[in-house]
Amino acid sequence: MVHRMPAERTRQHTTPVAAARRRRLRADRARQLADLLRHQILGGRFPDGVLPHEEVIGADYGATRNTVRQALGLLRAEQLVERQPGVGTVVVCQKFPHGLDRLMGLAETLHRHGRVTNEVRTISPVTAPAPVADRLRIPPRSEVLYIERLRRLDGAPLSLDLTYVPMRLGPALLDADLENTDVFRLIEEAAGQPLGTAEITLEAVNADAHSAAVLEAPRGTAVLMLERLTHLADGTPVDLEFIRFRGDRITMRGLLHRTV
């Protein structure tokens, strides 16, 4: 015999499930809308820095008012926007584009957005750690020039760069104006040939206490870590860098081509 659950008990059982599903769908839609609005913000779609009213956003994107509010809440949690009484939702954090499809220094990439300066925190010959010597193709325990720089854009901390350069190029960098000149340009002058290619790895890592303090970011916050091994035009590796970018101030962009 098949026992059937009374209709009332069935409704009591399914109602919480349906409500949870509606909440999940609303949260999904809020994330989707937040992604679209973030793209618009970073692309300069709101030049006056003020987002449209919630009702306008809802009409433009076909979203309910609750979904719009949740999406704006996600962007506020990212500290990208904030609510100002009498004004509305305003952009409070600008991100700057860093291209991944060309081999350029930070100052070359961001020159249109402000002045990039380097605070040289450390510059000294050191014994190359084994992985560094291996990547730079130099004998084990060779000396390399180690440089630690805090990069700022118009005075605001942007990245912490840890750089290893073979000592055959070191003397030219030791005597150079590293505070106002990109390492790339100095390496090309010292090597007598242009840079050619770079291998890059990009990932998100948690800021350690030292990095967080230097970048003036909360300890444990996520930062973008760019590992870059740069070669001269003849293929010789000359620059190994570990660059920690503040994720709230930089966005990575590139143009990729599909090849068969």
Side-chain angles (χ1 to χ4, degrees), residues 33-46 75 80 253:
L33 178 55
D35 289 343
L36 295 173
L37 290 173
R38 187 187 303 104
H39 176 78
Q40 297 282 68
I41 291 170
L42 299 181
R45 176 64 176 78
F46 311 111
L75 297 178
L80 190 59
R253 292 182 179 176

Side-chain angles (χ1 to χ4, degrees), residues 47-251:
D48 60 353
V50 181
L51 273 64
H53 191 273
E54 292 176 0
E55 293 179 355
V56 176
I57 294 175
D60 287 347
Y61 292 90
T64 66
R65 190 164 188 175
N66 282 339
T67 297
V68 173
R69 287 179 173 175
Q70 286 185 339
L72 294 176
L74 292 173
L75 297 178
R76 284 196 297 273
E78 296 175 19
Q79 299 182 345
L80 190 59
V81 302
E82 69 178 24
R83 183 78 178 174
Q84 290 187 0
V87 179
T89 301
V90 300
V91 178
V92 294
C93 181
Q94 183 179 5
K95 289 192 176 186
F96 303 96
H98 187 290
L100 291 179
D101 48 6
R102 292 188 63 193
L103 183 53
M104 300 176 68
L106 195 63
E108 294 173 309
T109 302
L110 300 180
H111 70 92
R112 292 176 298 174
H113 303 282
R115 182 169 179 261
V116 175
T117 56
N118 307 316
E119 177 187 326
V120 180
R121 298 175 54 82
T122 301
I123 178 167
S124 175
V126 298
T127 300
V132 172
D134 181 63
R135 298 292 300 281
L136 291 175
R137 299 183 202 161
I138 58 178
R141 302 194 61 77
S142 296
E143 276 199 337
V144 293
L145 185 66
Y146 172 72
I147 309 169
E148 179 179 317
R149 294 167 296 160
L150 172 62
R151 318 293 298 279
R152 298 178 183 270
L153 180 64
D154 289 339
L158 189 63
S159 71
L160 178 62
D161 299 14
L162 312 183
T163 304
Y164 299 90
V165 178
M167 274 308 296
R168 65 179 181 276
L169 301 175
L173 273 64
L174 279 168
D175 297 332
D177 180 13
L178 284 169
E179 293 188 354
N180 299 292
T181 311
D182 266 341
V183 166
F184 278 179
R185 182 180 301 174
L186 297 172
I187 289 176
E188 289 179 323
E189 292 176 355
Q193 64 172 296
L195 297 173
T197 61
E199 306 164 28
I200 63 171
T201 301
L202 181 65
E203 61 181 326
V205 300
N206 292 332
D208 57 274
H210 169 70
S211 300
V214 173
L215 291 171
E216 300 177 15
R219 183 175 180 177
T221 192
V223 296
L224 291 175
M225 163 73 88
L226 178 67
E227 178 184 329
R228 180 169 62 197
L229 177 63
T230 304
H231 303 76
L232 294 172
D234 65 6
T236 304
V238 289
D239 180 14
L240 177 61
E241 294 180 279
F242 299 87
I243 308 172
R244 290 169 172 82
F245 289 100
R246 280 194 52 153
D248 59 343
R249 293 179 180 168
I250 201 80
T251 181

